[in-house]
Amino acid sequence: ENTLGAAAAQSGRYFGTAIASGRLGDSTYSAIANREFDSVTAENEMKIDATEPRRGQFDFTAGDRVHHWAVQNGKQVRGHTLAWHSQQPGWMQSLSGSTLRQAMVGHINGVMAHDKGKIAQWDVVNEAFQDGSSGARRDSNLQRTGNDWIEVAFRTARAADPAAKLCYNDYNVENWTWAKTQAMYAMVKDFKQRGVPIDCVGFQSHFNNDSPYHSNFRTTLRSFAALGVDVAVTELDIQGASPTAYADVTKDCLAVARCLGITVWGVRDTDSWRPEHSPLLFNANGSKKPAYTAVLDAL
Ligand code: XIL
């Protein structure tokens, strides 16, 4: 096979990218995205500030642009993201307590109803744990509504769209030895034991010099899969784009039966949220980097 999507499909997986709606008019960008990838995540367009800019008034314009482009071109969509401390609209940032809890539930219901049956996986909750050695939840307005906010989000999401796989998504949880990884593992284990509806765990995989790829990522993926959830690499980018590291991540996913697929967080280095890291698979001019070939060969 000579594209990432077709190569991943040989083992029943997808290979996706983040799409920025504002770049779809760039023909180099959209041609590469359409040729290489068979799954799409909206980079910002399905986040809370984009979809509910005023309380109770939903705006699906930009998210729909990404979704329609994906469907027109035969790609599946990962929804990202319904409950998160970041990229909240101003009105939500200023809420707390039961009012905020209600607003979170209303947001999940409103967005999931709009796309009901049309999203393969939803990142229901994003980045709820703290970095470092504490293993604690991250402090946020959502966390301050009570520790059960995550399970409430998942139960709401299941009722709103029973067809979507419901994922918890985070970063710095790829290294099995890290406290944050173990804290997320304990939460997923507890959810499975108590019947909280969770189907998948997304590993963002933003690897950089502070948080490098480690070969124990495969142990992490395996350990979560053994809890009875699917796993996915959801936002992959690697500072410097080491071909070896990219190939290793790819092989780690392929080694775990419940690894659904890999999504890279952008198309060309110049499209990346961290362009100074040159972390992606395509150069500014759209040509394939050595990391691209390493991934294709590993698939
Ligand atoms: C980033 C986008 O790439 C940027 O365009 C935006 O300014 C900030 O968010 N973790 C996530 C993603 O879950 O939503 C973030 O995306 C990157 C880190």
Side-chain angles (χ1 to χ4, degrees):
E1 300 295 338
N2 59 3
T3 69
L4 300 171
Q10 295 177 112
S11 67
R13 280 140 176 121
Y14 61 81
F15 208 102
T17 185
I19 288 287
S21 58
R23 295 183 195 268
L24 285 172
D26 171 340
S27 59
T28 305
Y29 176 87
S30 53
I32 298 170
N34 192 21
R35 183 186 75 221
E36 295 290 341
F37 302 101
D38 58 356
S39 176
V40 159
T41 307
E43 187 171 356
N44 289 296
E45 293 80 350
M46 296 188 190
K47 291 174 178 175
I48 314 173
D49 56 355
T51 51
E52 196 177 355
R54 283 163 299 281
R55 188 171 182 187
Q57 288 181 32
F58 291 89
D59 182 350
F60 298 112
T61 319
D64 283 354
R65 211 175 293 141
V66 176
H67 195 282
H68 290 159
W69 182 86
V71 170
Q72 295 261 302
N73 292 297
K75 303 173 196 319
Q76 63 170 58
V77 178
R78 292 194 83 259
H80 176 77
T81 179
L82 297 166
W84 190 24
H85 69 277
S86 184
Q87 291 181 269
Q88 291 184 0
W91 65 265
M92 186 179 275
Q93 290 178 37
S94 67
L95 295 186
S96 62
S98 58
T99 320
L100 174 59
R101 186 63 76 87
Q102 275 183 330
M104 178 191 82
V105 168
H107 181 76
I108 293 170
N109 281 326
V111 175
M112 291 188 85
H114 177 73
D115 282 321
K116 191 173 177 184
K118 296 186 223 157
I119 300 281
Q121 305 170 29
W122 261 113
D123 288 332
V124 178
V125 172
N126 199 32
E127 302 180 348
F129 287 94
Q130 239 171 56
D131 288 313
S133 58
S134 73
R137 293 282 184 86
R138 174 197 297 275
D139 179 54
S140 70
N141 61 347
L142 289 164
Q143 180 61 32
R144 289 190 292 270
T145 68
N147 211 46
D148 63 342
W149 71 278
I150 299 180
E151 60 195 81
V152 168
F154 276 91
R155 291 189 200 280
T156 304
R158 176 68 92 227
D161 183 359
K165 287 195 196 232
L166 307 181
C167 305
Y168 175 82
N169 192 55
D170 215 328
Y171 68 94
N172 283 355
V173 289
E174 297 79 16
N175 188 321
W176 181 241
T177 68
W178 286 13
K180 191 172 175 182
T181 310
Q182 293 302 318
M184 179 172 82
Y185 180 81
M187 179 189 74
V188 174
K189 187 175 181 189
D190 171 59
F191 280 10
K192 293 301 286 182
Q193 278 169 352
R194 289 192 296 113
V196 177
I198 183 168
D199 304 307
C200 38
V201 174
F203 297 84
Q204 292 185 11
S205 309
H206 295 294
F207 295 116
N208 55 57
N209 298 341
D210 296 326
S211 180
Y213 168 80
H214 191 284
S215 57
N216 67 25
F217 187 28
R218 191 177 296 196
T219 301
T220 304
L221 294 173
R222 275 214 182 101
S223 301
F224 278 86
L227 292 176
V229 288
D230 293 329
V231 294
V233 175
T234 53
E235 305 183 12
L236 178 61
D237 53 20
I238 303 177
Q239 181 171 11
S242 151
T244 314
Y246 259 107
D248 285 348
V249 172
T250 304
K251 290 180 209 159
D252 290 342
C253 178
L254 293 185
V256 177
R258 292 196 79 146
C259 183
L260 300 170
I262 297 172
T263 300
V264 288
W265 205 239
V267 178
R268 301 161 298 191
D269 285 337
T270 42
D271 303 315
S272 170
W273 70 314
R274 290 170 169 173
E276 70 281 9
H277 287 187
S278 304
L280 294 172
L281 301 178
F282 293 88
N283 281 317
N285 65 11
S287 63
K288 296 168 180 173
K289 293 167 62 181
Y292 171 94
T293 311
V295 170
L296 190 66
D297 288 351
L299 282 167

